[in-house]
Amino acid sequence: MSDVPIPAESPLPSPRDEAPQYVLPLVVRLERDAPPARTDALETSARAVLTLLGDERALGDGEWAEAVRNWEDARIRKVVRRARGAEWRRAGTLPGITVTGRTAEVRVFPPIPLDGWPKDLAKLQVSGTELDDPEPPSDPDRTAPVLWLNPDLAMSAGKTMAQTGHAAQLAWWALPDTARTAWRTAGYPLSVRTATPAEWTRLTHSGLPLVRDAGFTEIAPGLTVAVEGGEHFASVGRLQRP
């Protein structure tokens, strides 16, 4: 799923449209007999994006750094595809990082030109990423960041994985180097939950980082995720609760 995180106050179109367009590929492992839980896939996707952003190869003079800079200079596009069996094994041979959750595996790859997909990734399907939670998610750990989903939106798991990746990236951008290092050292703890309607209203009027989708796929343009900082690692702001 391809989506664009921009500050909520930024109008569309953006000067970023004039830059060469890149995309960050993510592939979720989706075996027929053992699909991941939806919430775990969303959290693992977010941590995969953070893992790439914090990797030495993506920083400074690292081998992925130029691609990351080109990607961040344009629209911040992410595409989530699914793979199983031999497809997943072939994807694992390409340069990238596999991040594992409790039930989910997500591989993130360095950014590529929008029309420059490697053959083994281009053939993977975008659709069909419908996932469920076997049990309702527990209360989030509020000592770490919580990525709150808009309760009024119905999105596929793949679309939502891209959105949580955007939200994690906004949190990363909001942090000083010392906080990034602490978060990375801790393994990028975070939670993804769906806000209640009342909570969503407070979140979107609280000054916290917000993801605004450009409306290219599945949904109309609008806000999708709010980023609430935790007490540790990534304090990017807290929702003021009544």
Side-chain angles (χ1 to χ4, degrees):
M1 300 298 170
S2 179
D3 309 279
V4 182
I6 59 173
E9 68 277 12
S10 296
L12 292 172
S14 163
R16 290 173 178 267
D17 292 323
E18 304 302 321
Q21 299 297 300
Y22 280 69
V23 60
L24 185 79
L26 297 113
V27 175
V28 57
R29 185 177 186 180
L30 200 61
E31 301 291 349
R32 287 190 178 90
D33 59 348
R38 181 184 177 94
T39 296
D40 189 40
L42 303 183
E43 294 173 348
T44 304
S45 177
R47 289 193 295 110
V49 172
L50 292 167
T51 300
L52 182 132
L53 292 173
D55 191 279
E56 291 184 356
R57 289 167 289 183
L59 303 172
D61 296 324
E63 60 186 287
W64 298 343
E66 182 177 2
V68 170
R69 287 192 294 269
N70 290 339
W71 172 57
E72 291 185 336
D73 284 343
R75 291 285 181 175
I76 309 300
R77 299 175 185 267
K78 298 179 181 70
V79 172
V80 177
R81 300 190 178 217
R82 59 181 173 87
R84 61 171 58 98
E87 295 174 333
W88 174 256
R89 292 190 292 274
R90 284 194 295 268
T93 66
L94 300 175
I97 306 168
T98 297
V99 176
T100 302
R102 293 181 299 278
T103 62
E105 290 182 78
V106 175
R107 188 163 178 84
V108 61
F109 303 86
I112 57 175
L114 197 58
D115 58 356
W117 283 79
K119 178 180 63 176
D120 285 335
L121 297 184
K123 65 177 64 173
L124 299 178
Q125 295 295 312
V126 175
S127 61
T129 54
E130 296 304 327
L131 299 172
D132 296 308
D133 281 313
E135 299 178 358
S138 60
D139 290 340
D141 176 6
R142 296 183 187 273
T143 67
V146 183
L147 312 182
W148 292 104
L149 302 175
N150 184 340
D152 296 326
L153 294 179
M155 297 183 286
S156 69
K159 173 80 171 182
T160 315
M161 288 171 68
Q163 297 295 311
T164 59
H166 297 336
Q169 188 167 2
L170 291 184
W172 180 258
W173 284 348
L175 296 174
D177 287 342
T178 53
R180 290 179 179 179
T181 299
W183 203 12
R184 179 172 60 242
T185 300
Y188 302 111
L190 56 82
S191 301
V192 175
R193 297 292 186 273
T194 300
T196 65
E199 195 166 37
W200 181 251
T201 298
R202 294 198 300 276
L203 284 161
T204 55
H205 291 82
S206 61
L208 297 177
L210 301 169
V211 176
R212 182 187 295 277
D213 185 67
F216 294 151
T217 60
E218 289 196 25
I219 61 173
L223 301 178
T224 59
V225 190
V227 182
E228 182 183 14
E231 297 171 0
H232 309 298
F233 311 121
S235 299
V236 293
R238 298 293 301 278
L239 174 64
Q240 298 300 310
R241 291 178 171 76

